[in-house]
Amino acid sequence: LGIDNSIIFAACLNFFIATLLFCTNSSANTLRIFSGTRWKAVAGCMMGVLLLALAISIRPEAHRINYVHGIFRHRQMSGKDFEIWEKSRNQSKLLFYEEGIDANVAVIDEDPADDEFVLLINGKPDGSAVGDMPTQILSGQLPIFFHPAPRQAMIVGLGTGVTAGTMLTHPEMTVDCVEISTAVGRSAAYFAKQNHNVMQNPRFSIHYDDAKS
């Protein structure tokens, strides 16, 4: 169902049960038009189904930015910190969102004026096109620098693809990556400029699996 529809389904189920109990209550005066308990139950069911259909058709997908922005990770925020978080959320644009068995993956643009793309996995930033670039690049370049004759590398976790992409700037290198989430692989296209379009590089292979296997 996904997060959106699960919340909607739970809310509608709760309303449906409440409506059903109300309609089958012999002391209720509102629905005396129905002569028997069976018809009252049917009316309650119909109201619940109609409400569910209406909720799904107008579900507020815009609110996804709230939970992809990881507010649940900041339960102890003070008033000032919350204002900073709220400002960041309000100016962010959701570019990619996919719910999966392994993770919920999103890409947001924190500053549309400068294309500050951020990869969020379960609400936690796991890479970006700006602030994390030194770490992502050095994670790929340093092992090559210290190895006497690097030819092959394996990376656990694709992230934005920048680490794999920077390793492949060395023409003798081939890189294998083990990534558990296919959604992360699809999100890498948003960082093609930073990762040198690594997903299309013939010297790069990605394996969707648990690295422990």
Side-chain angles (χ1 to χ4, degrees):
L1 289 175
I3 295 175
D4 284 338
N5 290 336
S6 294
I7 293 172
I8 291 170
F9 178 78
C12 291
L13 181 63
N14 185 55
F15 181 84
F16 168 76
I17 293 173
T19 304
L20 185 62
L21 292 174
F22 177 78
C23 292
T24 56
N25 185 354
S26 59
S27 64
N29 297 317
T30 307
L31 297 178
R32 287 191 180 279
I33 186 173
F34 299 104
S35 59
T37 300
R38 178 179 299 178
W39 287 108
K40 294 176 183 178
V42 169
C45 291
M46 291 175 63
M47 290 178 64
V49 170
L50 288 173
L51 179 64
L52 178 61
L54 178 63
I56 291 176
S57 66
I58 61 172
R59 61 184 183 276
E61 294 186 0
H63 290 300
R64 283 178 174 172
I65 196 69
N66 289 325
Y67 45 80
V68 304
H69 231 283
I71 190 172
F72 55 87
R73 299 178 58 245
H74 306 285
R75 294 185 295 273
Q76 306 301 321
M77 281 194 298
S78 65
K80 186 66 175 179
D81 291 335
F82 181 78
E83 290 177 8
I84 295 173
W85 176 90
E86 189 175 36
K87 181 180 179 180
S88 174
R89 179 205 61 185
N90 290 340
Q91 73 178 16
S92 296
K93 180 181 179 182
L94 184 63
L95 304 175
F96 174 88
Y97 179 80
E98 188 171 324
E99 297 176 12
I101 297 174
D102 307 297
N104 293 340
V105 181
V107 176
I108 63 172
D109 187 353
E110 285 196 331
D111 187 353
D114 294 325
D115 289 337
E116 292 187 9
F117 294 176
V118 179
L119 172 67
L120 297 161
I121 299 180
N122 295 328
K124 175 185 174 297
D126 269 12
S128 70
V130 181
D132 293 311
M133 287 299 289
T135 300
Q136 295 170 125
I137 292 173
L138 287 175
S139 294
Q141 293 292 344
L142 286 178
I144 293 176
F145 177 78
F146 286 108
H147 195 286
R151 291 292 183 272
Q152 295 177 313
M154 187 184 80
I155 299 174
V156 178
L158 176 65
T160 61
V162 171
T163 297
T166 194
M167 297 183 86
L168 291 172
T169 58
H170 300 268
E172 71 279 4
M173 288 294 299
T174 60
V175 175
D176 288 88
C177 177
V178 181
E179 170 58 53
I180 197 170
S181 172
T182 57
V184 172
R186 285 186 284 275
S187 71
Y190 290 89
F191 301 92
K193 180 180 178 181
Q194 290 77 25
N195 64 31
H196 306 283
N197 203 18
V198 68
M199 299 300 286
Q200 305 302 320
N201 194 315
R203 292 183 288 121
F204 175 75
S205 299
I206 188 166
H207 311 275
Y208 293 108
D209 204 347
D210 190 328
K212 293 185 293 184
S213 64

